[in-house]
Amino acid sequence: CLNRECRDCGMVSFAALPLRAGDKVLGVLCIGSGSTRDFRAHASFLETLTQDISIALQNALLFQQEQVVARNLRNEVAARRKAEEELRHSTSFQKAIIERAAEGLCVCRRIDKPPYLEFLVWNGRMTEITGYTMAEINRRGWHESVYPDPEIRERARVRMASMRDGKDLM
């Protein structure tokens, strides 16, 4: 408020002390009196008071910021838990379909080390058809396990290479 407004309210003496956090002004502590006062006489007390209030205000602002961060984190955690639950439900549904399929179903990807193929999906029917579990196939290699004859194995490798180029194999 302006000096004139303070007088209109009945204040005769007025002091305004900045509340600081480092170089930043957080606010202003205003002290008014209806009688004549020389606030300079209490300068060390008022300086200590403004420092204490500045620290309290800074702590309150930090606490408020931490409350916002904590609320945002809780919301993010809740959203991730929901997404994880939806993913878990979707994945279990997909696994159930794959496992109950009458046909052998598998999914593989190319890797840079022998046996150069890694299976990521391998249903029970594939185990029945091939006689190998996914772990066994991944350890031994698809071509080496399923095609013991070297000539047939090489033809199979060529066919698999065409599949990686986007052609379907039946």
Side-chain angles (χ1 to χ4, degrees), residues 22 30 37 44 54 58 95 136 143:
C30 299
R37 284 215 162 168
S44 66
S54 293
Q58 191 174 7
K95 283 183 179 178
E136 292 169 327
H143 296 104

Side-chain angles (χ1 to χ4, degrees), residues 15-105:
L17 307 162
L19 302 171
R20 297 180 186 273
D23 292 339
K24 183 178 178 187
V25 175
L26 302 174
V28 178
L29 172 64
C30 299
I31 302 171
S33 175
S35 59
T36 301
R37 284 215 162 168
D38 184 1
F39 290 112
R40 289 177 291 214
H42 305 287
S44 66
F45 169 75
L46 292 174
E47 200 174 287
T48 302
L49 179 64
T50 57
Q51 288 174 355
D52 288 348
I53 293 172
S54 293
I55 291 169
L57 182 57
Q58 191 174 7
N59 286 342
L61 291 171
L62 289 172
F63 180 75
Q64 186 179 37
Q65 290 171 354
E66 290 303 313
Q67 294 275 55
V68 170
V69 168
R71 184 178 60 245
N72 290 343
L73 284 174
R74 281 192 301 272
N75 291 342
E76 187 176 327
V77 166
R80 286 184 181 203
R81 283 186 179 149
K82 182 180 177 188
E84 284 175 6
E85 183 57 35
E86 289 171 358
L87 180 61
R88 194 175 4 263
H89 176 72
S90 173
T91 302
S92 66
F93 180 71
Q94 291 170 358
K95 283 183 179 178
I97 290 172
I98 290 169
E99 205 45 53
R100 285 176 177 78
E103 297 82 15
L105 293 174

